[in-house]
Amino acid sequence: MEYIKKHVRDVIDFPQKGVVFKDLTTVFKDPRALHIIGWDLAQLYRDKGVTKVVGIESRGFIGASILSFELGAGFVPVRKPGKLPADTISASYDKEYGKDTIEIHRDAITEDDVVVLHDDVLATGGTMAAAYDLIKSMNPKKIYVSFIIELSALNGRDRLPAEAEVTSLITY
Ligand code: AMP
C-alpha cells in the first residue's frame, strides 16, 4: 500500500476551501498502482460469492469496474439524477461539500444477489449511507462496502449501518 499512497495526490481547497481532496487519477494512471488496486480489492471478496459490484458515480466506477471484472460479477452504476435511462429509485443526502441525490435502476439488484458497494473515498459517509439504503431496499442476500481510501478523521463509518461490513484499502 505504500506504493499506492505515494501516488495519491492531495489537492488543497478542491472543490472548495478547506477540503483536502484525495486525487486518485494519479494512482489510476500508473499501471502498477492500478494493477495493485484491482488485485487487492478483489482479494477481499474472492470467496464471498459476489454477483454484482455497484459503483458510485463517477470516481467509484473505476474501482467497481475492475473489481467486477476480477470477480466475474456484474457491474451496476449508481448515478446522479436524470442520468439513468430506465425506471429508477433514488435517495438524497448531505455530503462534505453540499447536498446530493443518487439513483439506481429499479431492476438492477435482485434478492438473489450478493453485492459489493464500491466508492473511491469514504469522507463523511453520506454518499455511501444513501447508496446502502437504496441497495438494502432491494433485499439482496448480502451487502459488502468497499473503499480505496478512508478519511478516518471525518468518521464516515459512524454514518453507515452497524451491520455493514466495511473495508478500506488505505486509511488516513
Ligand atoms: P462523503 O459522502 O462525504 O463520504 O463523500 C464521498 C464522495 O465524495 C466520494 O464519492 C468521493 O469521491 C468524494 N469525496 C468527498 N470528500 C473527498 C475528499 N476529501 N477527497 C476525495 N474525494 C472526496
PDB file of all heavy atoms in Angstrom, residues 9 11 14-15 18-24 56-60 80 93-97 119-129 147 149 151 154 156 159, ligand 1:
ATOM      1  N   ARG A   9      -2.566  11.967  -4.855  1.00  0.00           N
ATOM      2  CA  ARG A   9      -2.213  13.396  -4.880  1.00  0.00           C
ATOM      3  C   ARG A   9      -3.188  14.180  -3.999  1.00  0.00           C
ATOM      4  O   ARG A   9      -4.405  14.088  -4.194  1.00  0.00           O
ATOM      5  CB  ARG A   9      -2.295  13.902  -6.326  1.00  0.00           C
ATOM      6  CG  ARG A   9      -2.132  15.400  -6.463  1.00  0.00           C
ATOM      7  CD  ARG A   9      -1.823  15.813  -7.886  1.00  0.00           C
ATOM      8  NE  ARG A   9      -2.840  15.404  -8.862  1.00  0.00           N
ATOM      9  CZ  ARG A   9      -2.663  15.492 -10.180  1.00  0.00           C
ATOM     10  NH1 ARG A   9      -1.524  15.947 -10.672  1.00  0.00           N
ATOM     11  NH2 ARG A   9      -3.630  15.107 -11.008  1.00  0.00           N
ATOM     12  N   VAL A  11      -4.958  17.478  -3.185  1.00  0.00           N
ATOM     13  CA  VAL A  11      -5.239  18.776  -3.814  1.00  0.00           C
ATOM     14  C   VAL A  11      -5.939  19.655  -2.777  1.00  0.00           C
ATOM     15  O   VAL A  11      -7.042  19.330  -2.319  1.00  0.00           O
ATOM     16  CB  VAL A  11      -6.122  18.615  -5.075  1.00  0.00           C
ATOM     17  CG1 VAL A  11      -6.324  19.965  -5.747  1.00  0.00           C
ATOM     18  CG2 VAL A  11      -5.493  17.617  -6.041  1.00  0.00           C
ATOM     19  N   PHE A  14      -9.919  21.919  -2.938  1.00  0.00           N
ATOM     20  CA  PHE A  14     -10.738  21.455  -4.056  1.00  0.00           C
ATOM     21  C   PHE A  14     -11.788  20.484  -3.522  1.00  0.00           C
ATOM     22  O   PHE A  14     -11.443  19.589  -2.748  1.00  0.00           O
ATOM     23  CB  PHE A  14      -9.879  20.754  -5.113  1.00  0.00           C
ATOM     24  CG  PHE A  14     -10.693  20.272  -6.284  1.00  0.00           C
ATOM     25  CD1 PHE A  14     -10.920  21.104  -7.377  1.00  0.00           C
ATOM     26  CD2 PHE A  14     -11.271  19.003  -6.284  1.00  0.00           C
ATOM     27  CE1 PHE A  14     -11.693  20.667  -8.451  1.00  0.00           C
ATOM     28  CE2 PHE A  14     -12.054  18.572  -7.361  1.00  0.00           C
ATOM     29  CZ  PHE A  14     -12.258  19.405  -8.443  1.00  0.00           C
ATOM     30  N   PRO A  15     -13.048  20.594  -3.959  1.00  0.00           N
ATOM     31  CA  PRO A  15     -13.622  21.593  -4.875  1.00  0.00           C
ATOM     32  C   PRO A  15     -13.986  22.891  -4.184  1.00  0.00           C
ATOM     33  O   PRO A  15     -14.504  23.778  -4.839  1.00  0.00           O
ATOM     34  CB  PRO A  15     -14.875  20.883  -5.396  1.00  0.00           C
ATOM     35  CG  PRO A  15     -15.296  20.016  -4.254  1.00  0.00           C
ATOM     36  CD  PRO A  15     -14.037  19.589  -3.556  1.00  0.00           C
ATOM     37  N   GLY A  18     -10.898  24.561   2.269  1.00  0.00           N
ATOM     38  CA  GLY A  18     -10.934  23.747   3.475  1.00  0.00           C
ATOM     39  C   GLY A  18     -10.926  22.252   3.198  1.00  0.00           C
ATOM     40  O   GLY A  18     -10.689  21.456   4.110  1.00  0.00           O
ATOM     41  N   VAL A  19     -11.188  21.839   1.949  1.00  0.00           N
ATOM     42  CA  VAL A  19     -11.185  20.408   1.620  1.00  0.00           C
ATOM     43  C   VAL A  19      -9.807  20.010   1.085  1.00  0.00           C
ATOM     44  O   VAL A  19      -9.245  20.688   0.234  1.00  0.00           O
ATOM     45  CB  VAL A  19     -12.255  20.073   0.544  1.00  0.00           C
ATOM     46  CG1 VAL A  19     -12.173  18.602   0.141  1.00  0.00           C
ATOM     47  CG2 VAL A  19     -13.652  20.409   1.060  1.00  0.00           C
ATOM     48  N   VAL A  20      -9.252  18.927   1.652  1.00  0.00           N
ATOM     49  CA  VAL A  20      -8.041  18.333   1.059  1.00  0.00           C
ATOM     50  C   VAL A  20      -8.521  17.155   0.223  1.00  0.00           C
ATOM     51  O   VAL A  20      -8.935  16.127   0.764  1.00  0.00           O
ATOM     52  CB  VAL A  20      -7.052  17.854   2.138  1.00  0.00           C
ATOM     53  CG1 VAL A  20      -5.823  17.224   1.468  1.00  0.00           C
ATOM     54  CG2 VAL A  20      -6.658  19.009   3.045  1.00  0.00           C
ATOM     55  N   PHE A  21      -8.503  17.328  -1.089  1.00  0.00           N
ATOM     56  CA  PHE A  21      -9.071  16.331  -1.989  1.00  0.00           C
ATOM     57  C   PHE A  21      -8.054  15.248  -2.293  1.00  0.00           C
ATOM     58  O   PHE A  21      -6.941  15.526  -2.747  1.00  0.00           O
ATOM     59  CB  PHE A  21      -9.526  17.007  -3.284  1.00  0.00           C
ATOM     60  CG  PHE A  21     -10.367  16.112  -4.143  1.00  0.00           C
ATOM     61  CD1 PHE A  21     -11.731  16.009  -3.936  1.00  0.00           C
ATOM     62  CD2 PHE A  21      -9.780  15.354  -5.151  1.00  0.00           C
ATOM     63  CE1 PHE A  21     -12.505  15.165  -4.723  1.00  0.00           C
ATOM     64  CE2 PHE A  21     -10.559  14.516  -5.939  1.00  0.00           C
ATOM     65  CZ  PHE A  21     -11.917  14.429  -5.721  1.00  0.00           C
ATOM     66  N   LYS A  22      -8.426  14.002  -2.030  1.00  0.00           N
ATOM     67  CA  LYS A  22      -7.547  12.858  -2.336  1.00  0.00           C
ATOM     68  C   LYS A  22      -7.766  12.475  -3.793  1.00  0.00           C
ATOM     69  O   LYS A  22      -8.773  11.853  -4.136  1.00  0.00           O
ATOM     70  CB  LYS A  22      -7.889  11.672  -1.422  1.00  0.00           C
ATOM     71  CG  LYS A  22      -7.596  11.946   0.044  1.00  0.00           C
ATOM     72  CD  LYS A  22      -6.107  11.977   0.290  1.00  0.00           C
ATOM     73  CE  LYS A  22      -5.768  12.192   1.748  1.00  0.00           C
ATOM     74  NZ  LYS A  22      -4.357  12.525   1.959  1.00  0.00           N
ATOM     75  N   ASP A  23      -6.838  12.868  -4.631  1.00  0.00           N
ATOM     76  CA  ASP A  23      -6.959  12.660  -6.068  1.00  0.00           C
ATOM     77  C   ASP A  23      -6.352  11.311  -6.444  1.00  0.00           C
ATOM     78  O   ASP A  23      -5.147  11.089  -6.287  1.00  0.00           O
ATOM     79  CB  ASP A  23      -6.238  13.804  -6.786  1.00  0.00           C
ATOM     80  CG  ASP A  23      -6.283  13.645  -8.291  1.00  0.00           C
ATOM     81  OD1 ASP A  23      -7.141  12.885  -8.784  1.00  0.00           O
ATOM     82  OD2 ASP A  23      -5.452  14.285  -8.968  1.00  0.00           O
ATOM     83  N   LEU A  24      -7.224  10.416  -6.959  1.00  0.00           N
ATOM     84  CA  LEU A  24      -6.761   9.070  -7.332  1.00  0.00           C
ATOM     85  C   LEU A  24      -6.401   8.955  -8.813  1.00  0.00           C
ATOM     86  O   LEU A  24      -5.964   7.892  -9.253  1.00  0.00           O
ATOM     87  CB  LEU A  24      -7.830   8.041  -6.966  1.00  0.00           C
ATOM     88  CG  LEU A  24      -7.856   7.658  -5.481  1.00  0.00           C
ATOM     89  CD1 LEU A  24      -9.167   6.975  -5.116  1.00  0.00           C
ATOM     90  CD2 LEU A  24      -6.696   6.731  -5.135  1.00  0.00           C
ATOM     91  N   ILE A  56     -20.309   3.874  -7.455  1.00  0.00           N
ATOM     92  CA  ILE A  56     -20.964   5.168  -7.261  1.00  0.00           C
ATOM     93  C   ILE A  56     -20.307   6.214  -8.161  1.00  0.00           C
ATOM     94  O   ILE A  56     -19.081   6.356  -8.169  1.00  0.00           O
ATOM     95  CB  ILE A  56     -20.911   5.581  -5.775  1.00  0.00           C
ATOM     96  CG1 ILE A  56     -21.630   4.517  -4.937  1.00  0.00           C
ATOM     97  CG2 ILE A  56     -21.542   6.954  -5.576  1.00  0.00           C
ATOM     98  CD1 ILE A  56     -21.676   4.790  -3.464  1.00  0.00           C
ATOM     99  N   GLU A  57     -21.164   6.939  -8.922  1.00  0.00           N
ATOM    100  CA  GLU A  57     -20.680   7.930  -9.893  1.00  0.00           C
ATOM    101  C   GLU A  57     -19.845   8.997  -9.218  1.00  0.00           C
ATOM    102  O   GLU A  57     -20.224   9.473  -8.156  1.00  0.00           O
ATOM    103  CB  GLU A  57     -21.880   8.593 -10.588  1.00  0.00           C
ATOM    104  CG  GLU A  57     -21.457   9.598 -11.645  1.00  0.00           C
ATOM    105  CD  GLU A  57     -22.633  10.117 -12.488  1.00  0.00           C
ATOM    106  OE1 GLU A  57     -23.790   9.700 -12.267  1.00  0.00           O
ATOM    107  OE2 GLU A  57     -22.355  10.931 -13.361  1.00  0.00           O
ATOM    108  N   SER A  58     -18.821   9.440  -9.877  1.00  0.00           N
ATOM    109  CA  SER A  58     -18.239   8.818 -11.052  1.00  0.00           C
ATOM    110  C   SER A  58     -16.907   8.155 -10.734  1.00  0.00           C
ATOM    111  O   SER A  58     -16.486   7.208 -11.406  1.00  0.00           O
ATOM    112  CB  SER A  58     -18.008   9.878 -12.132  1.00  0.00           C
ATOM    113  OG  SER A  58     -17.178  10.913 -11.598  1.00  0.00           O
ATOM    114  N   ARG A  59     -16.258   8.620  -9.671  1.00  0.00           N
ATOM    115  CA  ARG A  59     -14.931   8.064  -9.375  1.00  0.00           C
ATOM    116  C   ARG A  59     -15.016   6.623  -8.883  1.00  0.00           C
ATOM    117  O   ARG A  59     -14.052   5.873  -8.991  1.00  0.00           O
ATOM    118  CB  ARG A  59     -14.186   8.965  -8.382  1.00  0.00           C
ATOM    119  CG  ARG A  59     -13.783  10.302  -8.994  1.00  0.00           C
ATOM    120  CD  ARG A  59     -13.134  11.214  -7.973  1.00  0.00           C
ATOM    121  NE  ARG A  59     -14.095  11.718  -7.020  1.00  0.00           N
ATOM    122  CZ  ARG A  59     -14.724  12.895  -7.126  1.00  0.00           C
ATOM    123  NH1 ARG A  59     -14.450  13.696  -8.125  1.00  0.00           N
ATOM    124  NH2 ARG A  59     -15.600  13.275  -6.230  1.00  0.00           N
ATOM    125  N   GLY A  60     -16.190   6.229  -8.357  1.00  0.00           N
ATOM    126  CA  GLY A  60     -16.354   4.853  -7.906  1.00  0.00           C
ATOM    127  C   GLY A  60     -16.472   3.856  -9.045  1.00  0.00           C
ATOM    128  O   GLY A  60     -16.307   2.646  -8.846  1.00  0.00           O
ATOM    129  N   LYS A  80     -25.956  10.134 -10.651  1.00  0.00           N
ATOM    130  CA  LYS A  80     -26.617  11.383 -10.292  1.00  0.00           C
ATOM    131  C   LYS A  80     -27.960  11.460 -11.015  1.00  0.00           C
ATOM    132  O   LYS A  80     -28.158  10.764 -12.008  1.00  0.00           O
ATOM    133  CB  LYS A  80     -25.698  12.542 -10.644  1.00  0.00           C
ATOM    134  CG  LYS A  80     -24.455  12.444  -9.764  1.00  0.00           C
ATOM    135  CD  LYS A  80     -23.428  13.505  -9.987  1.00  0.00           C
ATOM    136  CE  LYS A  80     -22.295  13.254  -8.984  1.00  0.00           C
ATOM    137  NZ  LYS A  80     -20.968  13.310  -9.583  1.00  0.00           N
ATOM    138  N   TYR A  93     -29.058  13.041   0.236  1.00  0.00           N
ATOM    139  CA  TYR A  93     -28.169  13.013   1.404  1.00  0.00           C
ATOM    140  C   TYR A  93     -27.284  14.258   1.419  1.00  0.00           C
ATOM    141  O   TYR A  93     -27.137  14.948   0.405  1.00  0.00           O
ATOM    142  CB  TYR A  93     -27.288  11.762   1.342  1.00  0.00           C
ATOM    143  CG  TYR A  93     -26.391  11.742   0.130  1.00  0.00           C
ATOM    144  CD1 TYR A  93     -25.059  12.162   0.230  1.00  0.00           C
ATOM    145  CD2 TYR A  93     -26.876  11.356  -1.112  1.00  0.00           C
ATOM    146  CE1 TYR A  93     -24.244  12.176  -0.883  1.00  0.00           C
ATOM    147  CE2 TYR A  93     -26.062  11.370  -2.221  1.00  0.00           C
ATOM    148  CZ  TYR A  93     -24.750  11.783  -2.108  1.00  0.00           C
ATOM    149  OH  TYR A  93     -23.943  11.808  -3.214  1.00  0.00           O
ATOM    150  N   ASP A  94     -26.673  14.514   2.604  1.00  0.00           N
ATOM    151  CA  ASP A  94     -25.706  15.608   2.752  1.00  0.00           C
ATOM    152  C   ASP A  94     -24.304  15.063   2.560  1.00  0.00           C
ATOM    153  O   ASP A  94     -24.011  13.965   3.008  1.00  0.00           O
ATOM    154  CB  ASP A  94     -25.783  16.213   4.161  1.00  0.00           C
ATOM    155  CG  ASP A  94     -27.129  16.856   4.397  1.00  0.00           C
ATOM    156  OD1 ASP A  94     -27.596  17.560   3.483  1.00  0.00           O
ATOM    157  OD2 ASP A  94     -27.706  16.632   5.480  1.00  0.00           O
ATOM    158  N   LYS A  95     -23.426  15.836   1.900  1.00  0.00           N
ATOM    159  CA  LYS A  95     -22.035  15.394   1.793  1.00  0.00           C
ATOM    160  C   LYS A  95     -21.083  16.454   2.304  1.00  0.00           C
ATOM    161  O   LYS A  95     -21.517  17.511   2.766  1.00  0.00           O
ATOM    162  CB  LYS A  95     -21.693  14.933   0.387  1.00  0.00           C
ATOM    163  CG  LYS A  95     -21.952  15.935  -0.704  1.00  0.00           C
ATOM    164  CD  LYS A  95     -21.844  15.271  -2.056  1.00  0.00           C
ATOM    165  CE  LYS A  95     -20.387  15.131  -2.463  1.00  0.00           C
ATOM    166  NZ  LYS A  95     -20.233  14.466  -3.750  1.00  0.00           N
ATOM    167  N   GLU A  96     -19.774  16.132   2.227  1.00  0.00           N
ATOM    168  CA  GLU A  96     -18.759  17.018   2.812  1.00  0.00           C
ATOM    169  C   GLU A  96     -18.879  18.428   2.235  1.00  0.00           C
ATOM    170  O   GLU A  96     -18.683  19.409   2.921  1.00  0.00           O
ATOM    171  CB  GLU A  96     -17.371  16.438   2.522  1.00  0.00           C
ATOM    172  CG  GLU A  96     -16.249  17.066   3.321  1.00  0.00           C
ATOM    173  CD  GLU A  96     -14.876  16.483   2.950  1.00  0.00           C
ATOM    174  OE1 GLU A  96     -14.808  15.582   2.093  1.00  0.00           O
ATOM    175  OE2 GLU A  96     -13.895  16.971   3.516  1.00  0.00           O
ATOM    176  N   TYR A  97     -19.200  18.515   0.941  1.00  0.00           N
ATOM    177  CA  TYR A  97     -19.348  19.840   0.331  1.00  0.00           C
ATOM    178  C   TYR A  97     -20.643  19.907  -0.477  1.00  0.00           C
ATOM    179  O   TYR A  97     -20.631  19.852  -1.683  1.00  0.00           O
ATOM    180  CB  TYR A  97     -18.137  20.188  -0.546  1.00  0.00           C
ATOM    181  CG  TYR A  97     -17.537  19.017  -1.289  1.00  0.00           C
ATOM    182  CD1 TYR A  97     -18.063  18.578  -2.490  1.00  0.00           C
ATOM    183  CD2 TYR A  97     -16.441  18.343  -0.764  1.00  0.00           C
ATOM    184  CE1 TYR A  97     -17.513  17.518  -3.165  1.00  0.00           C
ATOM    185  CE2 TYR A  97     -15.891  17.274  -1.437  1.00  0.00           C
ATOM    186  CZ  TYR A  97     -16.424  16.872  -2.634  1.00  0.00           C
ATOM    187  OH  TYR A  97     -15.876  15.801  -3.313  1.00  0.00           O
ATOM    188  N   ASP A 119     -16.987   2.698  -3.566  1.00  0.00           N
ATOM    189  CA  ASP A 119     -16.681   4.092  -3.935  1.00  0.00           C
ATOM    190  C   ASP A 119     -15.197   4.315  -3.701  1.00  0.00           C
ATOM    191  O   ASP A 119     -14.565   3.559  -2.975  1.00  0.00           O
ATOM    192  CB  ASP A 119     -17.524   5.068  -3.122  1.00  0.00           C
ATOM    193  CG  ASP A 119     -17.686   6.420  -3.832  1.00  0.00           C
ATOM    194  OD1 ASP A 119     -17.103   6.608  -4.932  1.00  0.00           O
ATOM    195  OD2 ASP A 119     -18.392   7.284  -3.290  1.00  0.00           O
ATOM    196  N   ASP A 120     -14.657   5.374  -4.307  1.00  0.00           N
ATOM    197  CA  ASP A 120     -13.207   5.588  -4.176  1.00  0.00           C
ATOM    198  C   ASP A 120     -12.836   6.055  -2.774  1.00  0.00           C
ATOM    199  O   ASP A 120     -11.891   5.547  -2.174  1.00  0.00           O
ATOM    200  CB  ASP A 120     -12.677   6.549  -5.250  1.00  0.00           C
ATOM    201  CG  ASP A 120     -13.255   7.954  -5.153  1.00  0.00           C
ATOM    202  OD1 ASP A 120     -14.333   8.139  -4.543  1.00  0.00           O
ATOM    203  OD2 ASP A 120     -12.621   8.885  -5.698  1.00  0.00           O
ATOM    204  N   VAL A 121     -13.601   7.035  -2.232  1.00  0.00           N
ATOM    205  CA  VAL A 121     -13.216   7.665  -0.953  1.00  0.00           C
ATOM    206  C   VAL A 121     -14.398   7.672   0.019  1.00  0.00           C
ATOM    207  O   VAL A 121     -15.507   8.061  -0.351  1.00  0.00           O
ATOM    208  CB  VAL A 121     -12.748   9.119  -1.203  1.00  0.00           C
ATOM    209  CG1 VAL A 121     -12.464   9.825   0.122  1.00  0.00           C
ATOM    210  CG2 VAL A 121     -11.492   9.139  -2.083  1.00  0.00           C
ATOM    211  N   LEU A 122     -14.142   7.248   1.262  1.00  0.00           N
ATOM    212  CA  LEU A 122     -15.118   7.432   2.352  1.00  0.00           C
ATOM    213  C   LEU A 122     -14.738   8.719   3.080  1.00  0.00           C
ATOM    214  O   LEU A 122     -13.687   8.779   3.724  1.00  0.00           O
ATOM    215  CB  LEU A 122     -15.074   6.250   3.324  1.00  0.00           C
ATOM    216  CG  LEU A 122     -15.899   6.390   4.608  1.00  0.00           C
ATOM    217  CD1 LEU A 122     -17.381   6.597   4.316  1.00  0.00           C
ATOM    218  CD2 LEU A 122     -15.713   5.174   5.523  1.00  0.00           C
ATOM    219  N   ALA A 123     -15.588   9.741   2.943  1.00  0.00           N
ATOM    220  CA  ALA A 123     -15.354  11.015   3.637  1.00  0.00           C
ATOM    221  C   ALA A 123     -16.346  11.084   4.798  1.00  0.00           C
ATOM    222  O   ALA A 123     -16.141  10.428   5.819  1.00  0.00           O
ATOM    223  CB  ALA A 123     -15.484  12.174   2.655  1.00  0.00           C
ATOM    224  N   THR A 124     -17.455  11.825   4.634  1.00  0.00           N
ATOM    225  CA  THR A 124     -18.433  11.903   5.728  1.00  0.00           C
ATOM    226  C   THR A 124     -19.356  10.677   5.772  1.00  0.00           C
ATOM    227  O   THR A 124     -20.074  10.487   6.746  1.00  0.00           O
ATOM    228  CB  THR A 124     -19.331  13.142   5.565  1.00  0.00           C
ATOM    229  OG1 THR A 124     -20.108  12.976   4.379  1.00  0.00           O
ATOM    230  CG2 THR A 124     -18.511  14.419   5.471  1.00  0.00           C
ATOM    231  N   GLY A 125     -19.353   9.904   4.703  1.00  0.00           N
ATOM    232  CA  GLY A 125     -20.160   8.687   4.678  1.00  0.00           C
ATOM    233  C   GLY A 125     -21.569   8.880   4.146  1.00  0.00           C
ATOM    234  O   GLY A 125     -22.304   7.911   3.975  1.00  0.00           O
ATOM    235  N   GLY A 126     -21.950  10.122   3.877  1.00  0.00           N
ATOM    236  CA  GLY A 126     -23.316  10.406   3.417  1.00  0.00           C
ATOM    237  C   GLY A 126     -23.662   9.697   2.119  1.00  0.00           C
ATOM    238  O   GLY A 126     -24.760   9.137   1.978  1.00  0.00           O
ATOM    239  N   THR A 127     -22.723   9.717   1.186  1.00  0.00           N
ATOM    240  CA  THR A 127     -22.978   9.097  -0.121  1.00  0.00           C
ATOM    241  C   THR A 127     -23.195   7.604   0.045  1.00  0.00           C
ATOM    242  O   THR A 127     -24.156   7.036  -0.478  1.00  0.00           O
ATOM    243  CB  THR A 127     -21.779   9.322  -1.071  1.00  0.00           C
ATOM    244  OG1 THR A 127     -21.414  10.696  -1.043  1.00  0.00           O
ATOM    245  CG2 THR A 127     -22.117   8.900  -2.485  1.00  0.00           C
ATOM    246  N   MET A 128     -22.300   6.968   0.784  1.00  0.00           N
ATOM    247  CA  MET A 128     -22.388   5.518   0.919  1.00  0.00           C
ATOM    248  C   MET A 128     -23.605   5.118   1.751  1.00  0.00           C
ATOM    249  O   MET A 128     -24.247   4.107   1.458  1.00  0.00           O
ATOM    250  CB  MET A 128     -21.097   4.963   1.519  1.00  0.00           C
ATOM    251  CG  MET A 128     -21.035   3.467   1.521  1.00  0.00           C
ATOM    252  SD  MET A 128     -21.367   2.718  -0.098  1.00  0.00           S
ATOM    253  CE  MET A 128     -19.758   2.725  -0.852  1.00  0.00           C
ATOM    254  N   ALA A 129     -23.937   5.906   2.777  1.00  0.00           N
ATOM    255  CA  ALA A 129     -25.114   5.588   3.594  1.00  0.00           C
ATOM    256  C   ALA A 129     -26.367   5.600   2.726  1.00  0.00           C
ATOM    257  O   ALA A 129     -27.229   4.713   2.833  1.00  0.00           O
ATOM    258  CB  ALA A 129     -25.239   6.584   4.745  1.00  0.00           C
ATOM    259  N   PHE A 147     -14.038   0.600  -0.058  1.00  0.00           N
ATOM    260  CA  PHE A 147     -13.429   1.874  -0.467  1.00  0.00           C
ATOM    261  C   PHE A 147     -11.951   1.660  -0.767  1.00  0.00           C
ATOM    262  O   PHE A 147     -11.327   0.752  -0.202  1.00  0.00           O
ATOM    263  CB  PHE A 147     -13.513   2.913   0.662  1.00  0.00           C
ATOM    264  CG  PHE A 147     -14.909   3.257   1.078  1.00  0.00           C
ATOM    265  CD1 PHE A 147     -15.492   2.618   2.159  1.00  0.00           C
ATOM    266  CD2 PHE A 147     -15.634   4.219   0.397  1.00  0.00           C
ATOM    267  CE1 PHE A 147     -16.795   2.931   2.549  1.00  0.00           C
ATOM    268  CE2 PHE A 147     -16.931   4.531   0.778  1.00  0.00           C
ATOM    269  CZ  PHE A 147     -17.503   3.884   1.861  1.00  0.00           C
ATOM    270  N   ILE A 149      -9.925   4.514  -0.318  1.00  0.00           N
ATOM    271  CA  ILE A 149      -9.401   5.395   0.735  1.00  0.00           C
ATOM    272  C   ILE A 149     -10.483   5.715   1.759  1.00  0.00           C
ATOM    273  O   ILE A 149     -11.631   5.970   1.393  1.00  0.00           O
ATOM    274  CB  ILE A 149      -8.884   6.723   0.115  1.00  0.00           C
ATOM    275  CG1 ILE A 149      -7.592   6.462  -0.660  1.00  0.00           C
ATOM    276  CG2 ILE A 149      -8.670   7.802   1.180  1.00  0.00           C
ATOM    277  CD1 ILE A 149      -7.049   7.686  -1.368  1.00  0.00           C
ATOM    278  N   LEU A 151     -11.069   8.413   4.993  1.00  0.00           N
ATOM    279  CA  LEU A 151     -10.560   9.577   5.737  1.00  0.00           C
ATOM    280  C   LEU A 151     -11.117   9.475   7.151  1.00  0.00           C
ATOM    281  O   LEU A 151     -12.220   9.935   7.440  1.00  0.00           O
ATOM    282  CB  LEU A 151     -11.002  10.873   5.044  1.00  0.00           C
ATOM    283  CG  LEU A 151     -10.609  10.978   3.564  1.00  0.00           C
ATOM    284  CD1 LEU A 151     -11.210  12.232   2.925  1.00  0.00           C
ATOM    285  CD2 LEU A 151      -9.096  10.979   3.414  1.00  0.00           C
ATOM    286  N   LEU A 154     -12.997  12.066   9.477  1.00  0.00           N
ATOM    287  CA  LEU A 154     -14.367  12.519   9.187  1.00  0.00           C
ATOM    288  C   LEU A 154     -15.429  11.548   9.715  1.00  0.00           C
ATOM    289  O   LEU A 154     -16.634  11.796   9.586  1.00  0.00           O
ATOM    290  CB  LEU A 154     -14.546  12.726   7.680  1.00  0.00           C
ATOM    291  CG  LEU A 154     -13.668  13.839   7.080  1.00  0.00           C
ATOM    292  CD1 LEU A 154     -13.754  13.852   5.561  1.00  0.00           C
ATOM    293  CD2 LEU A 154     -14.070  15.202   7.635  1.00  0.00           C
ATOM    294  N   GLY A 156     -16.709   8.764   8.823  1.00  0.00           N
ATOM    295  CA  GLY A 156     -17.727   8.295   7.880  1.00  0.00           C
ATOM    296  C   GLY A 156     -18.332   6.962   8.275  1.00  0.00           C
ATOM    297  O   GLY A 156     -19.503   6.703   8.011  1.00  0.00           O
ATOM    298  N   ARG A 159     -21.607   6.794  10.137  1.00  0.00           N
ATOM    299  CA  ARG A 159     -22.839   7.088   9.416  1.00  0.00           C
ATOM    300  C   ARG A 159     -23.407   5.850   8.712  1.00  0.00           C
ATOM    301  O   ARG A 159     -24.543   5.862   8.256  1.00  0.00           O
ATOM    302  CB  ARG A 159     -22.536   8.177   8.379  1.00  0.00           C
ATOM    303  CG  ARG A 159     -23.677   9.112   8.245  1.00  0.00           C
ATOM    304  CD  ARG A 159     -23.250  10.510   7.960  1.00  0.00           C
ATOM    305  NE  ARG A 159     -24.248  11.097   7.091  1.00  0.00           N
ATOM    306  CZ  ARG A 159     -24.064  12.192   6.411  1.00  0.00           C
ATOM    307  NH1 ARG A 159     -22.917  12.833   6.494  1.00  0.00           N
ATOM    308  NH2 ARG A 159     -25.018  12.661   5.652  1.00  0.00           N
TER     309      ARG A 159
HETATM  310  P1  AMP B   1     -18.974  11.513   1.514  1.00  0.00           P
HETATM  311  O1  AMP B   1     -20.416  11.369   1.170  1.00  0.00           O
HETATM  312  O2  AMP B   1     -18.697  12.746   2.302  1.00  0.00           O
HETATM  313  O3  AMP B   1     -18.402  10.276   2.156  1.00  0.00           O
HETATM  314  O4  AMP B   1     -18.222  11.777   0.168  1.00  0.00           O
HETATM  315  C1  AMP B   1     -17.824  10.760  -0.607  1.00  0.00           C
HETATM  316  C2  AMP B   1     -17.797  11.131  -2.042  1.00  0.00           C
HETATM  317  O5  AMP B   1     -17.263  12.429  -2.295  1.00  0.00           O
HETATM  318  C3  AMP B   1     -16.939  10.174  -2.740  1.00  0.00           C
HETATM  319  O6  AMP B   1     -17.614   9.823  -3.921  1.00  0.00           O
HETATM  320  C4  AMP B   1     -15.664  10.901  -3.046  1.00  0.00           C
HETATM  321  O7  AMP B   1     -15.355  10.733  -4.403  1.00  0.00           O
HETATM  322  C5  AMP B   1     -15.957  12.367  -2.792  1.00  0.00           C
HETATM  323  N1  AMP B   1     -15.096  12.999  -1.772  1.00  0.00           N
HETATM  324  C6  AMP B   1     -15.519  13.637  -0.662  1.00  0.00           C
HETATM  325  N2  AMP B   1     -14.515  14.164   0.019  1.00  0.00           N
HETATM  326  C7  AMP B   1     -13.408  13.847  -0.647  1.00  0.00           C
HETATM  327  C8  AMP B   1     -12.020  14.096  -0.430  1.00  0.00           C
HETATM  328  N3  AMP B   1     -11.574  14.801   0.624  1.00  0.00           N
HETATM  329  N4  AMP B   1     -11.142  13.599  -1.334  1.00  0.00           N
HETATM  330  C9  AMP B   1     -11.597  12.897  -2.404  1.00  0.00           C
HETATM  331  N5  AMP B   1     -12.876  12.644  -2.657  1.00  0.00           N
HETATM  332  C10 AMP B   1     -13.784  13.111  -1.801  1.00  0.00           C
END
